[in-house]
Amino acid sequence: MGGGGGGVPEELLTAQETALYDRQIRVWGVDAQKRLSKAHVLVCGVNGATIELCKNIVLAGVGSLSLMDDHVVTEDDLNANFLIPPDESIYSGRSRAEVCCESLKDFNPMVRVSVEKGDPSLIDEEFLDKFDIIVLSRTSMKTKLFVNDNCRKSSKHIAFYAIECKGSCGEIFVDLQNHSYVQKHAGEPEPKELTYHSLQEAISVPWKNLPRKTAKLYFAMRVLENYELSQGRSACETSLSDLPAVLALRKNMCDEMSLNESQIPTALLERLVAAGKKEHPPVCAILGGILGQEVIKSISGKGDPIKNFFYFDDTDGKGVMEDIPGPSTN
Amino acid sequence: MASSATASEEAVKAAKVLMVGAGGIGCELLKTLALSGFRDIHIIDLDTIEVSNLNRQFLFRKCHVGQSKAHVARDAVLKFRPNINITSYHANVKDAQFNVEFFKQFNVVLNGLDNLDARRHVNRLCLAAEVPLVESGTTGFLGQVTVHVKGKTECYECQPKPVPKSYPVCTITSTPSKFVHCIVWAKDLLFAKLFGDKNQDNDLNVHSSESGSSKSNVFERNKDEDLDQYARRIYDHVFGYNIELALENEETWKNRRRPNPVYIRDALPEEDSRQNGSSHDCSNEQEEPSAMVSLGFRNPQEIWNLADNSRVLLKALRLFFEKREKEIGNLIFDKDDQLAVEFVTAAANIRASSFGIPLHSLFEAKGVAGNIVHAVATTNAIIAGLIVIEAIKVLQGDYKKYRMTYCLEHPSRKMLLMPVEPFEPNKSCYVCSETPLLLDVNTKTTKLREVIDKIIKGKLGMNLPLVMIGHTLVFEDGDGLEEDEAANYALNLEKVLAELPAPVINGTKLTVEDFQQELSCSINIKHREEFDEEKEPDGMVLSGWSAPVEKQVTSNGGASSSGAPDTDGNPEDISTKPGMKRKLDEILDSKENFDASSTSSAQVVDDDDDDDMVMLDEDPKLAKKKRLQ
């Protein structure tokens, strides 16, 4: 209560922020909005799915967004990316991060959007400390494990996400380490705590320990990862001609870990290898939307976050969470 | 696999689609359609761009404020897909140009609307034109996408639709018990009385005993009356005298808390004398007059006390007369009018404090008064993605794969996106079947006009109705009528039902039609003389149609966990998920159980059902419906 002028000026949202963010403050509150405006996000790998994410969090009003992707734009990049104009004179010779950075800046003048040059596989702890949130996409599993490991070593609490869209399927991985948040239960706020597994732990759990209902995509993605690794391919570098070899690998892995091969349908693997680097734009929108909400949840400390995988497949239309335990749980 | 991918690509390339709405969902949808290979997209939107759209309607920039959403969205998408055709219409979808013929040219219609009225209209045109409709809506983190194909799935109106909550007059005028009642009073009675059309009568008492018989309306400003004096007089009348008057009626307060009259001398005792004279406004240069800014209040999230609210009220009233005098008499409350929001917030809070109701901040009050929909970009993006996925299925005619999909805030059976099989058409739906309706009405006292306004337009959602009794046409709406016809219909409007050229009595059957919507239905009349004023405020009752669900939809509260004010008086918000909350409540109930058994443990819940979709069998109302085969 008390006098109207009694607030602490620095802690107030500006009139500009209040007007722009009115509708979303009604969803997540002023506190969450203030926390958002202080968060620094790094996105490595610029593609259809991550661009959807970037759009969402820039609109939401994060403090800053840095893009890392030195790959020079090619025609293939236009497929699911609405930030690259189909005009060679604009994108020719420039990196994905540079071209998209420019467009993203326009979305919200209150957010600092910038380019970080470099290779995600070289990201060290010191560099990571500049950020609160790291998102990786289209990098090798090796790089993901390396960066996830560095996030965990950092004294700072850094949220780690990996997101992949393959054709009409998608996967999101979440590692918030130890995450405290507030859950609204019957209108009453209730403090909660979650402990996450590292990416290494989450992909090395013996399959026979997992429940029968575990998402088929979880297994399929592990087969593809192993295939890319064994062939020295970069992320998503597959085509339909790889199918026989991928099916052979499926058999090996299933035998080794006592899983029935039918848990990883051939049709699913076929769709995934055939998709290669292609992303289905509606699926990018869905994955980027879900991950956007997750980033907002982890920054604001409000609402149940995903633990620790999310899957979407447009053939059944389900968006499913999977809580994959660590290898030692059993 | 490869061949089916090609088939869907071909279907997409060849398709001509209509999008209705270029707002939150519409911007996302247009972008995703363009990226997905659609080449012929038509888009209709009536609105222009506002600042509060920019946090999610990402095709718009600040420099576009005030321009047509449809046109700006078109131009923005053509920048990254210059070789496709987008046709934009800055127009109302209910306009006559968008008739059945217009709808027939499309392969599918995609709705991204924010109101029930337009949704029903589009549903009817899609049924008439036999074009599949993909319908959608979002609120906060919740959303849904549904598919409606004539003869195959239920239509948009087969299930009950929540209607805007209305309140009994006496709750607003005498016995408010919630903050929203105070808002409605402040907005629809006090604000309208002071600044709106003077000829529009409302239920606010304007008579005062003190000033004797010479003066009938205390709201009239005396000649040469000082503005402060006037403001204080109004204050004392509405918050003091009118409450005293209400307190005299002992019967009302037998089982209720008695309100406290509030007078300005009590609310602001120390300022009693020095408020006279001219305004000590130090911010003459501000663009838009604001009582808050003038008084140095900066935080819209702060809850002001009674004294502060009283200051804001007096100041706002004064600013209206000093800075916006020309508009007085024509003002209608608008959530984007800062001074109006300040006035209504302050007045509602003063009334709330009088009735022992918790006070609210300007930010919260604005949400309640403006029926503001909670909206974030992420949910709209997800929903738009799901719409495109359904649209592609519809184009391939693969109706066994159609799904309605719910976007949830809390997972149910591990799902955040939950597909459900569509339902069969409801055989007793008055829109897509031919079942007659029943109207209980007093045929001796009710005028035709009331039936048309409250029932035919209000409940059945007809736009330009025609009413027939047997073969006698008693009313027709729209342009192009002969003068004598129009005069005749105007006369009929003011007649009571029993005295129409073809008398309407117990057992009469009315035929009502809307040519534009190609909708026709029959209403059987039942004469009845007594109606419950509280429960049946219309003085007539329509049955046999999907009766609206008003309050119970939110009573479980689980679905609206955004922490925002509850959705009373928020028609758009509720109507975005017709029938959905009811289902969601069921889902969330099961979720609560699920949570309790596995709280924060790392185990994966192995629910035993197979890999098919969720069936909502736990809901008896829904279980009765047959599903598609």
Side-chain angles (χ1 to χ4, degrees), chain A residues 43 119 171 293 328:
Chain A
V43 173
D119 186 339
E171 179 185 66
Q293 272 169 14
S328 56

Side-chain angles (χ1 to χ4, degrees), chain B residues 561-600:
Chain B
S561 48
S562 58
D566 82 356
T567 47
D568 275 352
N570 190 344
E572 288 166 355
D573 180 47
I574 295 175
S575 66
T576 53
K577 42 191 179 317
M580 170 198 176
K581 276 204 167 173
R582 187 165 43 90
K583 292 174 199 165
L584 278 177
D585 283 346
E586 295 294 325
I587 294 156
L588 291 165
D589 274 352
S590 66
K591 176 247 167 198
E592 301 271 318
N593 300 334
F594 161 79
D595 264 0
S597 63
S598 65
T599 315
S600 75

Side-chain angles (χ1 to χ4, degrees), chain B residues 212-259:
Chain B
S213 57
S214 65
K215 187 132 134 314
S216 58
N217 185 346
V218 294
F219 284 85
E220 271 164 28
R221 193 172 153 196
N222 297 335
K223 250 189 214 162
D224 306 322
E225 185 177 19
D226 175 78
L227 249 184
D228 264 318
Q229 240 173 351
Y230 173 66
R232 287 163 168 260
R233 197 161 57 74
I234 297 298
Y235 188 108
D236 284 348
H237 176 78
V238 298
F239 300 112
Y241 175 75
N242 278 355
I243 301 284
E244 304 264 19
L245 210 60
L247 281 168
E248 285 173 15
N249 189 351
E250 289 296 335
E251 199 60 29
T252 312
W253 311 109
K254 256 186 180 165
N255 299 309
R256 285 190 178 93
R257 184 187 181 283
R258 295 170 68 88

Side-chain angles (χ1 to χ4, degrees), chain A residues 1-10 12-13 16 18-30 52 55-57 59-60 78-86 103 106-109 183-187 192-194 197 210-216 240 267 270-271 278 280-283 285-294 296-297 302-304 306-307 310-326 329, chain B residues 1-2 9 28 31-32 35-36 50-58 60-62 79-82 139-141 296-306 308 335-336 359 362-368 372-379 381-386 388-389 392-393 401 403 405 407-411 413-419 561-565 591-592 595 599-614:
Chain A
M1 302 289 244
V8 184
E10 306 84 81
L12 294 181
L13 294 174
Q16 192 189 7
T18 306
L20 177 64
Y21 300 137
D22 183 280
R23 297 302 184 272
Q24 65 198 40
I25 293 172
R26 292 177 194 282
V27 176
W28 53 60
V30 180
E52 284 282 346
K55 172 205 68 192
N56 293 334
I57 61 176
L59 289 171
L78 306 182
N79 166 40
N81 191 328
F82 56 91
L83 294 183
I84 306 177
S103 315
D106 285 346
F107 282 28
N108 187 345
Q183 186 188 53
K184 271 258 172 92
H185 194 81
K192 288 258 177 188
E193 188 128 340
L194 284 176
H197 296 286
L210 294 174
R212 187 177 57 87
K213 297 286 293 180
T214 303
K216 294 173 170 56
L240 204 51
E270 185 180 329
R271 279 196 289 139
K278 246 190 146 179
H280 191 32
V283 178
I286 291 166
L287 292 172
I290 294 281
L291 185 52
Q293 272 169 14
E294 288 306 307
I296 291 161
K297 280 187 211 166
K302 274 188 177 174
D304 298 302
I306 287 173
K307 180 170 181 287
F310 174 84
Y311 291 99
F312 182 81
D313 182 347
D314 91 340
T315 51
D316 66 9
K318 286 185 193 173
V320 188
M321 273 171 53
E322 281 298 347
D323 190 348
I324 302 292
T329 323
Chain B
M1 280 292 132
E9 277 166 28
E28 294 286 343
K31 170 258 303 168
T32 305
L35 288 175
S36 303
E50 288 174 28
V51 171
S52 62
N53 300 148
L54 304 178
N55 79 318
R56 61 195 187 286
Q57 299 176 17
F58 74 99
F60 310 146
R61 302 284 172 268
K62 199 148 191 191
K79 280 191 186 141
F80 65 85
R81 282 295 182 274
T139 302
F141 294 120
F297 297 166
R298 301 174 53 187
N299 184 357
Q301 266 87 28
E302 185 177 33
I303 299 172
W304 303 321
N305 62 18
L306 178 60
D308 288 338
K335 67 180 189 307
D336 297 311
L359 308 195
L362 177 113
F363 179 78
E364 293 166 317
K366 179 180 169 184
V368 180
I372 291 177
V373 183
H374 315 144
V376 286
T378 50
T379 316
I382 294 167
I383 289 300
L386 292 169
V388 175
I389 288 172
I392 293 173
K393 290 185 214 166
K401 289 189 181 162
R403 295 293 178 264
T405 307
C407 179
L408 308 174
E409 184 173 2
H410 305 289
R413 307 191 200 189
K414 303 199 292 183
M415 279 179 271
L416 285 171
L417 303 175
M418 189 170 71
S561 48
S562 58
K591 176 247 167 198
E592 301 271 318
D595 264 0
T599 315
S600 75
S601 75
Q603 87 189 76
V604 175
V605 175
D606 187 11
D607 50 352
D608 246 344
D609 57 300
D610 250 314
D611 226 28
D612 51 13
M613 292 154 326
V614 173

